[in-house]
Amino acid sequence: MSPQSYHVHVRRIDGARNMARFYALSIERTLFGEVSLLRAWGRVGTRGQQRIDVCPDEQQALRLFLSLLRQKRQRGYAPCNTRPLPALPARSSRSATPAASWS
């Protein structure tokens, strides 16, 4: 397999339709050296579903990868934001109130 890495994660979010979906594609080698296309999809925030397609060679896996990506892009999926997450605000110095004193 070439040193080129094939991974993509796309999302389709439409608040008006209460839709938040993801689709991930990756070309990987199996433990037995076969080339496989890994797919994962579902609602954002869930584990979703997964499927692994074993291909006879890298070229066929790449054709399937690009075909699926093209279909998803036509349906409105867009690449995920790859910027790093913003830093969390500093924690306050107050200690947490014990749960027993809440009553």
Side-chain angles (χ1 to χ4, degrees):
M1 195 158 138
S2 69
Q4 177 68 34
S5 178
Y6 298 100
H7 302 278
V8 69
H9 193 136
V10 292
R11 287 185 181 174
R12 182 176 179 193
I13 298 176
D14 183 353
R17 296 175 60 193
N18 194 26
M19 180 190 306
R21 299 176 182 169
F22 73 90
Y23 202 88
L25 293 166
S26 176
I27 296 178
E28 306 285 340
R29 288 251 179 219
T30 66
L31 291 174
F32 303 106
E34 300 168 312
V35 179
S36 63
L37 176 68
L38 286 79
R39 300 190 236 180
W41 67 92
R43 185 165 174 86
V44 172
T46 67
R47 186 172 172 191
Q49 300 180 47
Q50 296 180 348
R51 177 176 170 167
I52 300 173
D53 295 306
V54 178
C55 300
D57 58 21
E58 186 178 356
Q59 294 303 319
Q60 184 167 345
L62 185 56
R63 279 194 295 275
L64 183 56
F65 178 98
L66 293 173
S67 173
L68 290 166
L69 181 58
R70 194 173 303 113
Q71 289 174 14
K72 295 302 169 188
R73 294 299 307 261
Q74 288 173 348
R75 291 185 179 141
Y77 285 76
C80 292
N81 188 350
T82 57
R83 289 182 286 156
L85 295 173
L88 295 173
R91 298 181 95 181
S92 78
S93 59
R94 292 186 306 181
S95 61
T97 307
S101 66
W102 287 6
S103 20

